[in-house]
Amino acid sequence: MIYNEEFETLPREALEAIQLRRLKNTLERVYHTVPFYKKQFDEHGIKPDDVKSLEDLQKLPFTTKQDLRDNYPFGMFAVPMDSVVRIHASSGTTGKPTVVGYTARDIKTWSELMARTLMAGGATKGDIIHNAYGYGLFTGGLGFHYGAETLGASVIPISGGNTKRQVMIMKDFGPTILTCTPSYALLLAEVAEEMGIDFRSLKFKSGIFGAEPWSEQMRQEIERKLNLDAVDIYGLSEVMGPGVAVECIEAKNGLHIFEDHFIAEIIDPETGEPLPYGVKGELVFTTITKEAFPVIRYRTRDISVLYREPCKCGRTLIRMERVSGRTDDMLIIRGVNVFPSQIESVLMEMEEVSPHYQLIVDRVEHMDQLTVMVEVNEKIFSDTVKNLQQLENKIRKNIKDMLGISTIVKLVEPKTIERTEGKAKRVIDNRKL
Ligand code: DLL
């Protein structure tokens, strides 16, 4: 089902006309209100007026995370502070967070995009939404919350944590839609099992999972363990939060980007050159309706591919492939580029192991060493040492065959790898320390 039939199914030409008009307005506005953009455009000898077509967007310079940091906390806001009604921030692993602001109209836009997102993921007015994304500076909790209310559904603002209590509430309140990170979904399944509660006895129809990378195999695992349809949602604080793109439950094949609000590009992360549809590269977004915190050609560092083949759900919006990693998450192990998601795919193919894993990178005598810690399932764990060793060898071989790198594989007891309520920490890179 489609929440905003008109805007989600626009013919290409009409959509592009809207995009161009909105883009021009945004450029005009940021040039006059954000000193950073004025300086950037002037340095590149470009005036907002020079952008006469969507292709002309490519003439504009990129905005990076560093630029946002340099203008910490409110230097990139395009409206006076008294028009800002909400502030969020992205956690980030190092240093200061990235701070973003919203006007009342931005919140309205975001809420609508989240209502669209929820409906794309199978929710309607009659649903009860168990929202276990974190509430707070993180955009996940409140983003979904406002979307659910806009849709008219009932929202349980449970936030993350206190997992046993969450399971009790799921059993008692009968929510029909689950929203949380994919890793937390698996933890919920695990804790429910410990409590003797079968997800098949719960009422969930679907779940909208995102905020961290996950593989197709992980989707299948979640669908099986939680007995629901799982769709992927993508977003980032700098662009809005959740609600930038979402998979439709009909196809579950790539995420529709809400192009009437965001223009997406794929670039070569090395050269910055735009890449055509179908080619993998770094996602870049320009917001065209945001008031408080517009971004122009923001480099996300997320790796994806854009497709414009029509989708069976009827939306005409282009799709992005699930994010396969980040340019800055890419591990270079003895010269070979490795994404955690590739290792995840190898592991998920094997039924003996659980979906919980961690990658540890060390430098031993000037050589990179990748250790893959992976939990085995209960059944395998009680196996003989010989069988466990055979399994380690099998995993090592599968990784070598797929990625061409040698690793150390360590099987660990079920439930020993740290569980999180939010984004899972998959990589520990000791080389940087
Ligand atoms: O994670 C917003 C969000 C909340 C998205 C809830 C979906 C659901 P940030 O904390 O700013 O915002 O982190 C953004 O998370 O650049 C990606 O690297 C990663 N990410 C988000 N969604 C996905 C996804 C929120 N579906 C960063 N697949 C982004 C892979 C994702 N990575």
Side-chain angles (χ1 to χ4, degrees), residues 90 133 138-139 211-213 232-233 235-237 302 323 326 423:
S90 82
Y133 282 107
F138 176 54
T139 51
E212 63 183 7
D232 191 9
I233 168 170
L236 63 167
S237 322
D302 292 322
V323 169
R326 288 176 59 81
K423 307 191 188 216

Side-chain angles (χ1 to χ4, degrees), residues 130-133 135 155-162 165-166 169 179:
H130 185 100
N131 184 21
Y133 282 107
Y135 280 64
V155 56
I156 307 174
I158 190 92
S159 195
N162 212 340
R165 188 160 153 267
Q166 298 226 5
I169 283 176
T179 58

Side-chain angles (χ1 to χ4, degrees), residues 209 214 231-235 244-248 252-258 304-307 317-323:
F209 306 115
W214 52 312
V231 302
D232 191 9
I233 168 170
Y234 170 84
V244 175
V246 68
E247 271 181 334
C248 57
K252 289 191 209 162
N253 181 20
L255 299 86
H256 292 281
I257 298 173
F258 293 123
S304 182
V305 183
L306 297 178
Y307 292 105
L317 305 163
I318 57 167
R319 280 174 288 164
M320 56 181 265
E321 190 176 78
R322 65 170 59 247
V323 169

Side-chain angles (χ1 to χ4, degrees), residues 362-380:
D362 291 292
R363 186 153 286 165
V364 181
E365 289 172 4
H366 308 292
M367 285 285 278
D368 298 325
Q369 184 178 289
L370 176 62
T371 307
V372 179
M373 310 265 282
V374 56
E375 284 181 16
V376 287
N377 60 35
E378 295 277 357
K379 204 169 115 250
I380 298 290

